[in-house]
Amino acid sequence: MRRSNEEIIQALRELAELEKLDEGSAQAFRVRAYDKAIDAIRTAGVDVAELDLDELKAIEGIGDHTARRIREFVETGHIGKLDRLREKYPPGLLDLMKIPGVGPKTVLLLWHRLGVETIEDLQRAIEEHRVQELPRMSAKTEQKIAKAIERLGLHAEEHRTPIADALPLAEDIVAALGELPGVERVEYAGSLRRFRETIGDLDIIVASDAPATVMEAFVALPLVADVIVHGDTKTSVVTTTRMQVDVRVVGADQYGAALLYFTGSKAHNIHLRQLALDHGWTLNEYALSELDGGAVVASSTEEDIYAALGLPLILPPLREDRGEIEAGLAGTLPEVVTVDDIVGDLHVHSSWSGDGRSALEDMVAAAAERGLEYVAITDHAENLTINGLSRDEMLRQRARIEELRERYPDLTILHGSELNIGKDGSLDYDEEFLMAFDWCVASVHSSFDLPRDQQTARIVAAMRHGAVDAIGHLTGRRIGIRPGIELDLDEVFDVAAETGTAIEINSHLDRLDVSADVLFSIRDRDDVVFVIDTDAHHVSELANIRWGVRNAQRGWIPASRVLNTFGRDRFLAWGKRARPVNKA
Ligand code: DGT
Ligand code: CA
Ligand code: CA
Ligand code: ZN
C-alpha cells in the first residue's frame, strides 16, 4: 500500500500531539523535530515513502529518530509508539489541546480530576463551575476557556475542520482514487470546493464504470479508521484524523449533475431547481431532465446544465445563493479575479528571516520561473524577535538584490520589509530608513488581546505612515487556532481608501485574512484596493496564490480591485510614494 506524504504528515502530527500530552509539556522532547520534519516533507517535492533511511536523513530537517518512525510507518502501516499512545489516551483529549490557553498539563488535570475527555465534557464542567476549583484555575480562566471554545466553534454539535487540515487530506484522497483503473474523473465537491474556511465533511465525486473497485480501494486507504457505509454508489468513512469522507461513484454521463448537486450549497441547489421547474424540468443529482417523459436535457458537465438554465458557469466559491443566480440571469455576475490575472507577489520571505526556509536566490528564481512581472522581498523587520533583520542585514540584502536585478532583467525585484505594527501603531527602524524601501507590508504580530478601539487605532496609525503600502493579514487570525483581533472594519477601510493603502488577502490556508465574508461585505466599495499575497516562506509556497484567489472569488472581488493584477508600469505608478526602484 502506497503511503502518501500527507498520510505520513498526519501520523507525525498525531504523534507529536500525543507526545506533548504524554510528557505534559508543549515543548515535549521530540515535538520540535516532528514539526521540522513535517515542514521538510511538505516541501520535499518527492514521494517520501520511496526514500530509504539514509535518503530520508539526507533531507534537511529530518533527523535519525524521525526518519526511523517514517520508515516504520511506510513498511508496516503503523508506528508502535503512536499505537501505544492512542491506547493510553482518549482521542477527544487532542481536541481539548486545540483550545487556546489550554496546554497538555491542563488537559491531563481536567481528565484526571474531572474525567473530562471531550469538549462537551469540558463545557458541562464549566457550566457547573467545576473547572475553577482546580489548582492554578480561577473563575476568570474558566470564562476565558468558555469564550475560546465559542469563538473558534470547537463544540462538537457543529464540529468543523479548518480548511488547512481538510484540503491536503482531500487532495490526497483525490490523487489516490485518480490512479485507479477505470476512473475517468475525480474531484472534491461540497463546502471544500466552495472554499468555506471550515469543513463539516468531505464529499468526493468519482466518474467510473467500476464502482466496486473504487470503493474497495477507498476503504483500504491507510487514513481510513472506520467505515460507516460501504456501498457501490456511496461509501462513507471516518479518517484517523476523525473527519467524515463521503465518496460517490457515478457514470461519466452523470458526472456534471452529481458534481453540481454535491458541491452545493444546498440553498444554491434549491434555487437552481426552482429555475428548472419554471422550464418544466427537474434537477437532481443525476440530471436536468424533462418533467413529463424524463428525457435528459443536460447531465454530463456543470457548464451544460448552467447553460440550459440560461446561466454562465458559476464558479463554486460563489454558489451560496447570495444573488449569484439573479446576477447570472441578468448578465451582471462579477468577473472575479483568477490565478491567470495575477502578475506579481508582494509579500515574500527568504531565509534572511529567521523563519524563512528558502534562500533569497531561490525565491527570486522561483518567482521568475512562475513568470511574475514583479516580486517584493519582504523579510521580517528588526522588532520581531529572532526572525527580524537588523538595519545592517537589510542593507546587505539590498546589495544582493541589486545583483539579482542584473540576472533577472524581466523581473522587477522590489526590496521591501514586513514591518511590525507595535501596540501603539509604531513601526520598526526610523523614518529615513523606512522610506528607502521600495515596498512595505505592515502587520500585527503581537498584542492580540487589546480592546477594539486600540487595535483599530494601531492599524490606522500604520496606514497613515508614508512608508506603509499594504497591511498584511489584517486580523492576525489563524483559522481554528486563534481568533482575529477585534477591529472597527468600517474605520479601517475608510482610512485604507483615504491613504491609498492596500489590504492584503493572505493566501496561507490557515490565515485567509481578510476573510471571504469581510470581502463580500465590501465588494461594492471600489475605493478599497486589495493585494493577494502568498506570504511565502519557501519556494513551494508561491503556488499558494491559488488559495488567496479562491478566497477573493468567494468575496466576489474582481481583478480590477486587485493591485497585483496590474501590469508592471501601472503597478509602479500606483500608490502613495515614488519608489526608488522606479527611478533606476
Ligand atoms: P459541510 O459538509 O457542512 O461543510 O457543508 P456541505 O455543503 O459540504 O454539505 P453536505 O456535506 O451536507 O452536503 C454536500 C452537498 O450536497 C451540499 O452542499 C448540497 C447537497 N445537499 C445535501 N443535502 C441536500 C438537500 O437536502 N437538498 C439539496 N438540494 N442539496 C443537498
Ligand atoms: Ca460536506
Ligand atoms: Ca457530506
Ligand atoms: Zn510574512
Side-chain angles (χ1 to χ4, degrees), residues 347 349 378 380 418 443 445 473 506 535 537:
H347 183 169
H349 295 271
T378 54
H380 289 294
E418 180 176 12
S443 314
H445 291 125
H473 45 71
N506 190 289
D535 190 4
H537 287 67

Side-chain angles (χ1 to χ4, degrees), residues 170-192:
E171 287 190 323
D172 208 45
I173 297 170
V174 164
L177 299 182
E179 284 173 9
L180 298 173
V183 169
E184 285 181 44
R185 302 284 307 269
V186 48
E187 269 169 279
Y188 54 78
S191 51
L192 180 60

